[in-house]
Amino acid sequence: APAAIGFPFVLNGVTYTQYSVSPDGWILLGSATASNQFTNAITSTTNVPKLAPYWDDLTTGTDGSVKTLVSGTAPNRIFIVEWTVTVPRNTTGPTHSKFQAWLYETTGKIEYRYGTMGVPTSGTISAGYTVSGTNFNSISFSTNTSSTTAGNDVNTIAPALGTMYSY
């Protein structure tokens, strides 16, 4: 169910105050209830607008979590979502992968930050954001580039420790 971000966050000219988060590595902005979507496609119009730092069929394993935190004071707060998951997906093992999404109150800046990541085996990872099927930004981890014209849903590597992407 949707929860409060903790401050108004503006994306593409629209103000959002609520979110839903998936253990599959994405955030839905707005008051709609997110539907399951473990099959990734950055141009999908399901669960939009969507922020996806590392979208794949993930799990929190035996000891992982998806946590949120609002840091700072108005008007300079940061909403942080942190995923501690298994990469590749392993429902019976401990986690070993960590990444975060940071949303900045005043500037509307979005950052994706990566800690230690497991080695993916699916070859079908998406990252970036989706406002609509034609308004998106897709990250390619292997080249550290992004595209607003071609969706990359076949990333085969995880970002290196300390990598950060900003919008």
Side-chain angles (χ1 to χ4, degrees):
I5 293 172
F7 55 82
F9 179 76
V10 179
L11 175 67
N12 202 45
V14 178
T15 301
Y16 299 95
T17 58
Q18 293 180 297
Y19 75 96
S20 299
V21 66
S22 169
D24 290 326
W26 53 266
I27 303 165
L28 169 64
L29 295 177
S31 59
T33 299
S35 60
N36 288 335
Q37 191 177 13
F38 51 83
T39 301
N40 53 298
I42 203 71
T43 59
S44 169
T45 57
T46 302
N47 295 312
V48 293
K50 179 187 294 125
L51 307 176
Y54 191 95
W55 180 13
D56 198 8
D57 186 11
L58 302 174
T59 181
T60 54
T62 58
D63 61 349
S65 61
V66 179
K67 297 179 182 180
T68 62
L69 169 74
V70 175
S71 177
T73 57
N76 298 305
R77 292 172 285 194
I78 305 168
F79 176 68
I80 301 169
V81 179
E82 179 178 87
W83 288 264
T84 305
V85 295
T86 62
V87 173
R89 178 183 172 85
N90 180 354
T91 59
T92 61
T95 59
H96 54 280
S97 300
K98 187 174 287 194
F99 58 94
Q100 300 175 337
W102 291 31
L103 283 60
Y104 289 78
E105 178 178 17
T106 301
T107 63
K109 183 178 183 179
I110 300 168
E111 292 177 346
Y112 298 154
R113 297 169 174 236
Y114 302 88
T116 300
M117 299 291 289
V119 178
T121 58
S122 73
T124 61
I125 301 135
S126 299
Y129 67 82
T130 307
V131 176
S132 69
T134 57
N135 184 351
F136 64 90
N137 192 298
S138 180
I139 298 170
S140 293
F141 294 142
S142 62
T143 57
N144 288 316
T145 59
S146 65
S147 175
T148 58
T149 58
N152 179 4
D153 299 314
V154 292
N155 279 293
T156 58
I157 64 168
L161 173 67
T163 299
M164 180 174 66
Y165 297 103
S166 298
Y167 296 105

